[in-house]
Amino acid sequence: MKVAVLDIKGKETGRKVDLSDDVFAIEPNEHAIYLDVKRYLAHQRQGTHKAKERAEIVGSTRKIKKQKGTGTARAGSIKSPIFRGGGRIFGPRPRDYQQKLNKNVKRLARKSALTLKSKDKALVVVEDFSFEAPKTKDFKAFLTSLGIENKKSLIVLGDSNNNVYLSSRNLERSEVVTSSELSTYKIINAGKVVLTESALEGIESNLKK
């Protein structure tokens, strides 16, 4: 599939690039996408939650009232979960939420996500660009020239570019990543995916393995 290459002002350069059918035109596997997105979101969890159970509560160990003759249920410990200030029954404990996914499944998920974006015509290829200094105004003008200033956008660079990254940081709907940082979740979450030419080469070399 051939796609026109745009410049930083959103105009066609007269050049076209070939999108590899092995990456951008496969049969999408939605279950692989689901598994990879679930794994990504699980990895965002810190897992530091903790609630004290009755054995961990600091408090008196005396029997709080006599066993019989009170007319109410028997009770031994003030740390019982049925009392205010007592321990929590089966409370959360620190745990690791990481999930393992095979390398080939992750690769398939990314290719499936890119294929879906390609089919929806939500994929744009631009020539490599940079800014002389970090300026949000310049980055916003770039998004406006592509007509995506009001959409969730993912800009994929070939290599890290500090000026471009810093220029985008104030814009809530836009995110800049390198081709090596690309994930299935970020592709699916974006309304429009913008690839630089060098990023396209990096993605195809990574996903064709």
Side-chain angles (χ1 to χ4, degrees):
M1 185 200 315
K2 286 189 177 290
V3 175
V5 179
L6 307 180
D7 62 17
I8 195 170
K9 293 181 179 177
K11 295 178 181 176
E12 291 193 15
T13 59
R15 293 184 292 112
K16 290 193 173 182
V17 290
D18 272 319
L19 296 184
S20 170
D21 288 348
D22 294 335
V23 176
F24 295 94
I26 67 165
E27 182 65 37
N29 188 318
E30 293 190 357
H31 188 61
I33 293 175
Y34 160 74
L35 291 174
D36 201 22
V37 168
K38 188 175 77 161
R39 178 193 66 86
Y40 177 88
L41 293 175
H43 285 197
Q44 306 309 301
R45 302 186 68 174
Q46 286 187 324
T48 53
H49 40 45
K50 177 73 175 76
K52 289 184 179 180
E53 298 189 357
R54 66 183 295 168
E56 299 165 312
I57 296 289
V58 175
S60 172
T61 56
R62 75 178 181 86
K63 185 170 173 65
I64 57 175
K65 62 180 181 180
K66 62 181 184 177
Q67 181 80 347
K68 292 179 172 290
T70 61
T72 57
R74 55 195 173 186
S77 172
I78 196 70
K79 296 182 278 187
S80 169
I82 64 173
F83 294 128
R84 181 176 176 277
R88 183 167 170 189
I89 304 170
F90 304 129
R93 295 182 175 184
R95 56 165 290 196
D96 182 9
Y97 281 96
Q98 294 221 357
Q99 298 176 9
K100 184 183 180 301
L101 201 60
N102 290 338
K103 186 166 56 177
N104 288 338
V105 177
K106 286 190 277 189
R107 196 174 289 141
L108 174 62
R110 269 175 288 166
K111 289 195 285 189
S112 299
L114 288 168
T115 297
L116 291 175
K117 289 296 175 189
S118 179
K119 282 183 177 178
D120 293 340
K121 295 186 177 174
L123 208 61
V124 179
V125 179
V126 298
E127 61 184 7
D128 291 340
F129 67 95
S130 184
F131 299 134
E132 292 181 1
K135 280 193 177 179
T136 305
K137 185 170 76 172
D138 292 344
F139 191 82
K140 198 167 184 181
F142 166 66
L143 296 179
T144 303
S145 69
L146 296 176
I148 57 174
E149 68 276 12
N150 295 320
K151 294 180 180 177
K152 269 189 178 181
S153 57
L154 179 67
I155 318 301
V156 188
L157 307 176
D159 296 307
S160 60
N161 185 317
N162 207 40
N163 285 350
V164 175
Y165 169 69
L166 292 175
S167 299
S168 71
R169 210 163 47 167
N170 265 350
L171 300 175
E172 189 180 2
R173 289 169 176 257
S174 186
E175 185 177 5
V176 172
V177 296
T178 61
S179 57
S180 59
E181 296 168 338
L182 195 61
S183 70
T184 306
Y185 175 79
K186 288 180 179 178
I187 297 168
I188 292 294
N189 191 44
K192 205 85 165 178
V193 178
V194 180
L195 307 175
T196 61
E197 289 181 278
S198 57
L200 184 60
E201 292 173 14
I203 290 168
E204 289 184 349
S205 65
N206 285 339
L207 297 182
K208 276 184 178 178
K209 290 175 183 175

